[in-house]
Amino acid sequence: MTMFTSESVSEGHPDKICDQISDAVLDAHLKQDPDAHVACETLVTTNFCLLAGEVNSKAEVDYVQVAKDTIESIGYDVHDLGFHFRENTYRIKIHSQSPDIDHGVVENRGAGDQGLMFGFACNETDVLMPYPIQLAHRLLEKLRESRKAGELPWARPDAKSQVTVEYDGYVPVAINEILLSVHHAPDADSVFMMEEIRKKVVEPVVRDCRPVLEWNGDFLFNPSGRFAIGGPHGDTGLTGRKIIVDSYGGTGRHGGGAFSGKDCTKVDRSAAYMARHIAKNLVKAGVADRCEIQLAYAIGRPDPVSVMVETFGTGKVKDETRIEQVIRALFPLSPYRIIEYLGLRNPIFSKTSSFGHFGRIPGDDGSFSWERVHRADEIASMLL
């Protein structure tokens, strides 16, 4: 028996505010110019919001308004945070993309940078995600739902979750402990808040998560004792600091590249989405119980320099080199073909910037297209 822990953070966490602003900037450009190239980073702290990056786009975007609208949509009052417009509250440092990078991307239809990306899937949950990170995300989604419905009037947008799961080999068998830290009104009672969160958030989510695991009731709430100062007042936020939250919660490997604020000519995003799509379809097909895909690229080159498949001893195919052959035959792996295959020129990215980029339900608008498993039967017929 072993223990494994994953964490998630809410949409009001300072780093996640930045991810959402950066992706809102990306979506604002894509709405007007689907071919826009965007790399936008955000920093927030008390009374200050900075946007910086490189953009090649025909769109006209009011960056300050995008930032303010995003902050308010999360549930913060921009005036309370000091984010109402005044001199030096918002700083915009966005300029054109380097022509050297632009040439390699546009003329060669190649990758926007070098790098390595991983995708992972396993049969621990119905959405083929590791159990700890999936439960950690869903706890915070339920918290947001309850807060915005007015069921937790003392709750504020900033929050963190952490889930420890007991494993027998690769099989999750029990929830060992759940931790939630929730930003709250200054006069809220700690015991009352803990019982409200247990009853309205934790117990319903544990009951509905599949598969249902035994939980002994161990629950930590605001273990520091108080969380009345949160959001950018409590901590500085930066785009791209929650890459493990965004992916698989520490299960499997990570190539190091963040997702948010980048259009999908950047393989940090598009190739990571494709690697997840491939791994998920392989697991859904029954090729393996656990699967990790690595794709690696050189800047300006369209084809990956390597494709790696790891099944952790759970594979059902005797000659695993056949899996790589099938991947190359079935799935487009160059950045522009990935973009076309997954529909990544649409303004769908703001939805991804909270509660994980994976393990989500594909939307009618094309969002989370990489979560579809429509190639599973085809893969099974070729490999099993």
Side-chain angles (χ1 to χ4, degrees):
M1 296 291 186
T2 58
M3 301 289 181
F4 193 85
T5 301
S6 293
E7 71 158 353
S8 182
V9 297
S10 74
E11 76 279 20
H13 185 280
D15 294 331
K16 275 292 150 201
I17 295 173
C18 294
D19 286 345
Q20 288 165 94
I21 292 172
S22 293
D23 272 339
V25 166
L26 171 60
D27 280 351
H29 278 280
L30 293 176
K31 285 176 184 176
Q32 300 178 48
D33 181 6
D35 294 321
H37 292 173
V38 178
C40 177
E41 313 291 343
T42 305
L43 177 149
V44 295
T45 187
T46 304
N47 299 335
F48 187 73
C49 177
L50 168 69
L51 273 65
E54 301 80 43
V55 170
N56 275 1
S57 173
K58 300 173 185 176
E60 294 290 333
V61 174
D62 184 339
Y63 295 113
V64 171
Q65 193 62 52
V66 168
K68 291 176 70 174
D69 288 348
T70 302
I71 292 165
E72 290 181 326
S73 73
I74 292 167
Y76 288 115
D77 186 316
V78 294
H79 297 280
D80 289 344
L81 288 175
F83 283 147
H84 57 287
F85 184 80
R86 67 170 186 261
E87 187 178 2
N88 294 330
T89 299
Y90 292 88
R91 300 294 298 277
I92 309 300
K93 296 291 185 180
I94 292 176
H95 54 84
S96 296
Q97 186 181 60
S98 161
D100 294 340
I101 296 174
D102 191 60
H103 171 78
V105 173
V106 177
E107 300 300 324
N108 299 341
R109 300 179 69 82
D113 201 353
Q114 70 178 47
L116 51 140
M117 299 83 211
F118 289 94
F120 182 83
C122 62
N123 60 6
E124 294 178 25
T125 60
D126 55 353
V127 292
L128 306 185
M129 284 288 285
Y131 201 99
I133 187 65
Q134 188 66 11
L135 180 54
H137 285 323
R138 302 297 76 82
L139 286 166
L140 292 180
E141 277 193 313
K142 180 64 174 176
L143 174 62
R144 177 183 64 175
E145 176 188 318
S146 298
R147 176 175 61 84
K148 291 198 169 184
E151 298 172 3
L152 302 168
W154 50 266
R156 302 295 182 261
D158 195 358
K160 299 180 78 170
S161 64
Q162 188 168 286
V163 174
T164 301
V165 172
E166 185 176 359
Y167 280 81
D168 183 357
Y170 287 138
V171 179
V173 294
I175 300 166
N176 183 260
E177 187 175 78
I178 293 172
L179 184 156
L180 275 170
S181 294
V182 182
H183 182 198
H184 58 80
D187 58 352
D189 177 74
S190 181
V191 174
F192 172 77
M193 289 189 293
M194 179 176 180
E195 290 308 310
E196 287 278 280
I197 290 293
R198 179 189 286 272
K199 179 176 65 176
K200 296 180 179 179
V201 176
V202 179
E203 291 177 353
V205 172
V206 170
R207 186 169 57 245
D208 292 343
C209 201
R210 295 292 182 270
V212 177
L213 298 186
E214 179 183 352
W215 173 46
N216 62 9
D218 281 356
F219 175 46
L220 292 176
F221 177 77
N222 284 359
S224 69
R226 183 173 169 82
F227 190 4
I229 300 174
H233 272 330
D235 194 8
T236 297
L238 290 169
T239 299
R241 276 207 303 205
K242 290 293 177 282
I243 59 176
I244 300 304
V245 169
D246 284 345
S247 53
Y248 307 101
T251 299
R253 289 168 280 197
H254 197 291
F259 302 147
S260 289
K262 300 174 181 176
D263 76 271
C264 283
T265 61
K266 282 75 173 174
V267 283
D268 278 340
R269 189 164 213 163
S270 54
Y273 289 174
M274 179 55 84
R276 161 65 177 172
H277 179 63
I278 294 168
K280 188 174 183 182
N281 275 270
L282 288 167
V283 172
K284 182 67 174 180
V287 170
D289 295 334
R290 300 171 75 82
C291 182
E292 184 178 73
I293 304 294
Q294 185 201 53
L295 303 174
Y297 292 83
I299 188 169
R301 298 292 183 90
D303 296 320
V305 298
S306 67
V307 178
M308 182 277 292
V309 182
E310 172 63 69
T311 61
F312 307 95
T314 69
K316 309 300 191 295
V317 178
K318 188 173 183 180
D319 180 8
E320 292 202 346
T321 61
R322 282 278 299 135
I323 302 177
E324 181 185 332
Q325 293 168 2
V326 167
I327 289 171
R328 289 183 179 272
L330 290 183
F331 296 99
L333 300 179
S334 65
Y336 275 78
R337 293 182 65 212
I338 291 172
I339 289 169
E340 182 179 357
Y341 176 85
L342 294 177
L344 301 179
R345 293 206 185 277
N346 297 310
I348 57 173
F349 297 103
S350 292
K351 292 181 179 180
T352 69
S353 50
S354 299
F355 312 115
H357 293 245
F358 310 121
R360 311 287 290 276
I361 305 301
D364 293 337
D365 59 355
S367 57
F368 303 104
S369 58
W370 48 94
E371 291 296 305
R372 295 178 298 165
V373 288
H374 62 292
R375 310 303 296 273
D377 289 345
E378 195 174 0
I379 292 171
S381 68
M382 298 174 73
L383 287 173
L384 299 177

